[in-house]
Structure formats: structure tokens, C-alpha cells
């Protein structure tokens, strides 16, 4: 079996099993494998892909799995990564459905769920901090904080759908990037003077 398929399979099965709680808890795990462990993509590309995937309908973890699979091994790799990611959960649901009904009122199960929730919150907080640090580094502290506050205002106060906020920020980023690139080209033509 190809090395790409082995790495994809191991990563997607692991994130599929350990990603308790759905998409938000899986994203830091996928990021760790894709960026740090295997180096498939850069942190910047992961952030851009995550933003785009959030704007599309469907579960975020399967979209990220499909993207990484496609990036590593084309269309077949995308299919393989999605199956590897969801198969453990599907099998566990089929095998443990009767046990869930039996244990639904158990204090032990309620305690386990309560214990896992803070871990997920910390993982999301660390990822948000790292992305915020990169935003401040790239935009400057004033602009970075201003954009974070604008996103908070749009999402929490005005209740704008997250996909719309993401599309707005992507559109701004595109315009900003092109304006900066145009300014640099103009400076280069003028011999380095503004």
C-alpha cells in the first residue's frame, strides 16, 4: 500500500476515533496531523481550507478529510480519507447502540461526558489563540484586534450566519492581498520609492 494511503488511513482513523463531540473537537486533531505530524500542508493553508470548508454545507471533519485525501492522493485519496474517518464511528454506533440505551441514565456516563467537555474547550481555545496570534502578526496588533472584535460583533451581537462572516472576511482578504501586491509592484517599478 502507498505511503500516502497508510498515513491518511492512520490519521483519519485516529481522528475519527478520538474526535469525541463532533467537528469542533476533531479540527485540532486533524490540524495536528496535517500540519505538525505529517507536514501535508502549512498552517496558513490549513486555516484557509478550514475557513472555506466552514462556508460549505455538511460536516466540517469530513470536508477536511476529503480535502487532505485529495491533496495527498487525488480523488481516490479523498474517498479513502472520508471512509477511514467515518468508518470507526459508524461501526461503533452499530455495535454500541444497545449499550447506549442501557447506560443512558448511568451516573458514570454522565460523569465521563462532563469530564471531556473542558478538554474540548481547551483544545479549541489553544487553536483560536494560535490563529489569533498569526492574524495579529500578519495584520498588526491594531488591525488584528479590530477584525477579531468585528467578527465577535457580527457573530454574537448581530447573529450573522458564520458562513456569511467567513465569506466577508475572505472577500476582504482577497481585496487586501491584491491591493498590497499592486502597491508592491508599483514600488518596484518606481525603483523602491512609494
Amino acid at each position: 500500500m502507498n505511503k500516502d494511503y497508510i498515513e491518511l488511513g492512520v490519521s483519519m482513523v485516529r481522528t475519527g476515533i478520538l474526535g469525541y463531540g463532533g467537528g469542533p473537537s476533531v479540527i485540532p486533531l486533524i490540524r495536528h496531523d496535517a500540519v505538525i505530524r505529517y507536514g501535508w500542508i502549512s498552517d496558513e493553508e490549513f486555516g484557509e481550507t478550514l475557513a472555506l470548508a466552514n462556508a460549505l454545507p455538511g460536516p466540517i471533519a469530513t470536508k477536511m478529510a476529503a480535502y487532505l485525501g485529495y491533496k495527498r492522493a487525488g480523488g481516490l485519496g479523498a474517498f479513502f480519507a472520508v471512509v477511514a474517518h467515518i468508518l470507526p464511528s459508524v461501526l461503533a454506533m452499530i455495535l454500541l447502540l444497545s449499550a447506549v440505551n442501557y447506560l443512558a441514565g448511568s451516573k458514570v456516563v454522565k460523569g465521563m461526558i462532563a469530564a471531556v467537555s473542558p478538554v474540548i474547550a481547551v483544545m479549541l481555545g489553544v487553536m483560536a489563540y494560535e490563529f489569533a496570534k498569526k492574524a495579529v502578526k500578519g495584520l498588526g496588533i491594531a488591525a488584528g484586534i479590530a477584525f477579531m472584535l468585528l467578527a465577535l460583533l457580527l457573530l454574537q451581537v448581530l447573529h450573522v450566519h458564520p458562513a456569511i462572516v467567513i465569506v466577508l472576511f475572505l472577500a476582504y482578504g482577497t481585496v487586501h492581498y491584491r491591493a498590497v501586491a499592486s502597491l508592491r509592484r508599483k514600488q518596484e517599478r518606481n525603483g523602491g520609492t512609494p
Side-chain angles (χ1 to χ4, degrees):
M1 185 178 256
N2 185 326
K3 179 185 173 197
D4 288 334
Y5 285 102
I6 292 171
E7 288 180 352
L8 274 170
V10 168
S11 175
M12 294 302 115
V13 166
R14 182 175 45 243
T15 57
I17 291 171
L18 299 177
Y20 176 84
S25 65
V26 176
I27 296 306
L29 299 173
I30 292 175
R31 179 186 164 272
H32 177 77
D33 277 1
V35 175
I36 297 167
R37 178 171 294 184
Y38 296 114
W40 294 329
I41 58 177
S42 68
D43 213 14
E44 290 75 20
E45 185 178 358
F46 184 85
E48 292 166 4
T49 305
L50 179 62
L52 184 60
N54 269 321
L56 298 172
I60 186 69
T62 53
K63 289 181 282 188
M64 294 301 290
Y67 175 79
L68 293 170
Y70 184 80
K71 180 98 173 162
R72 298 303 300 161
L76 190 56
F79 176 77
F80 177 78
V82 169
V83 169
H85 182 73
I86 65 172
L87 191 60
S89 298
V90 169
L91 293 175
M93 284 174 55
I94 292 169
L95 295 173
L96 300 175
L97 191 55
S98 60
V100 168
N101 287 332
Y102 175 74
L103 296 172
S106 168
K107 290 181 181 180
V108 173
V109 172
K110 288 179 184 176
M112 289 170 49
I113 291 170
V116 170
S117 296
V119 173
I120 294 169
V122 169
M123 289 170 62
L124 287 172
V126 168
M127 189 175 74
Y129 171 76
E130 289 176 2
F131 281 128
K133 195 165 69 170
K134 286 181 187 290
V136 167
K137 183 180 177 185
L139 295 169
I141 194 159
I145 291 172
F147 281 117
M148 286 183 239
L149 291 174
L150 178 60
L152 183 67
L153 172 75
L154 291 171
L155 293 167
Q156 297 299 319
V157 177
L158 300 175
H159 303 291
V160 177
H161 192 280
I164 294 171
V165 174
I166 290 167
V167 168
L168 288 173
F169 277 83
L170 285 173
Y172 169 78
T174 302
V175 170
H176 180 87
Y177 176 77
R178 288 185 182 191
V180 168
S182 175
L183 245 168
R184 285 188 183 147
R185 282 194 301 273
K186 188 182 276 187
Q187 285 178 347
E188 289 172 2
R189 278 183 288 197
N190 294 336
T193 58

